[in-house]
Amino acid sequence: RERAGAAAVSRGDYDAGERLLLAAAVVVSRARRAVTDELGFTCSGGVAPNKQLAKLGCGLHKPNQQTVVFPRHVAGLLRDLPLDRLAGLGGDLGRRLKDELGVNTAGELAAVPLHRLAPHCADEAHARTVLAMATGQHADPVKDQAAYKSFAASKNFFRSPLATTADVDRWLASFADELWERVRKERDARCRAPTNVTVSVTSGGAHRFSGTVSAQTA
């Protein structure tokens, strides 16, 4: 596939911006292959002019495939896209826009003038952001998700409730091992570590217990 893509580019089938996206697609393809080779997992990928379109493209062809979204195909991709597929429009705001403006797709939302949309959003700036998402022009920056503020490990025991103290101890040890491995990697990579540990327990959907130990009191 990489060789075929390079041959097509050499024939001048793509403009300069599309060549960059194809180069990125090669990088993503190699990264996905490395994940499979090293971890045994398969994953999909999306390559596009911005993060929003890349995420949408990633969901188009699964499993274990990737999609490149060229700028010339953005309008077609968004035209019939359900409104709730846009970030932030899957809840109350999306339902309100459907009910009050009569729009059900990103394409229909993109056709709404700013002065009509603004009263239904938090402010005009928010309305501009919503329109940018509907037209595929939302330039939301890609952020480093590796710099986590916290780590968590949890499990539901609906089917096999813990019946003994030994069962509880075994799972707490498992959670601790999992968290410690992630903390160790974070410490080695960024020279930082958590300062608090919190244990919470719920039963029957109700919160039963929560306790926190800090590095200062440990």
Side-chain angles (χ1 to χ4, degrees):
R1 290 183 180 178
E2 294 175 11
R3 290 194 297 271
V9 170
S10 68
R11 295 197 300 269
D13 293 340
Y14 306 105
D15 62 29
E18 292 171 340
R19 290 190 184 103
L20 288 175
L21 291 175
L22 287 173
V26 173
V27 174
V28 172
S29 176
R30 291 173 178 172
R32 292 174 47 244
R33 187 183 307 124
V35 169
T36 300
D37 292 344
E38 296 181 22
L39 303 177
F41 300 122
T42 61
C43 55
S44 299
V47 180
N50 59 51
K51 183 172 73 173
Q52 173 200 357
L53 295 174
K55 292 177 70 174
L56 289 173
C58 182
L60 290 178
H61 301 104
K62 289 187 175 184
N64 198 27
Q65 300 185 66
Q66 67 183 56
T67 302
V68 180
V69 180
F70 290 143
R72 51 178 142 159
H73 299 142
V74 172
L77 172 64
L78 295 176
R79 183 180 300 115
D80 299 320
L81 186 76
L83 200 62
D84 55 13
R85 289 286 304 279
L86 296 179
L89 299 186
D92 292 340
L93 177 58
R95 288 190 291 270
R96 189 164 69 247
L97 294 180
K98 289 179 182 180
D99 294 340
E100 298 177 2
L101 295 177
V103 295
N104 292 287
T105 66
E108 292 173 350
L109 178 60
V112 177
L114 178 63
H115 71 271
R116 280 196 62 208
L117 178 61
H120 303 277
C121 298
D123 51 36
E124 184 173 314
H126 182 218
R128 291 183 183 277
T129 298
V130 170
L131 280 179
M133 289 193 296
T135 57
Q137 300 175 2
H138 182 42
D140 187 27
V142 176
K143 299 178 182 178
D144 183 5
Q145 296 297 318
Y148 298 106
K149 294 183 178 180
S150 64
F151 299 116
S154 64
K155 182 177 176 59
N156 294 322
F157 298 94
F158 296 123
R159 295 184 178 178
S160 301
L162 302 183
T164 67
T165 302
D167 290 337
V168 174
D169 288 344
R170 179 169 55 85
W171 276 104
L172 285 176
S174 176
F175 293 152
D177 288 342
E178 177 184 340
L179 289 174
W180 171 245
E181 179 63 19
R182 294 163 67 184
V183 168
R184 184 188 63 77
K185 291 180 179 179
E186 183 73 9
R187 183 187 60 188
D188 294 344
R190 295 181 174 80
C191 298
R192 64 178 195 151
T195 58
N196 298 311
V197 176
T198 299
V199 177
S200 296
V201 177
T202 60
S203 177
H207 182 260
R208 299 297 185 187
F209 169 82
S210 182
T212 299
V213 178
S214 68
Q216 290 76 20
T217 60

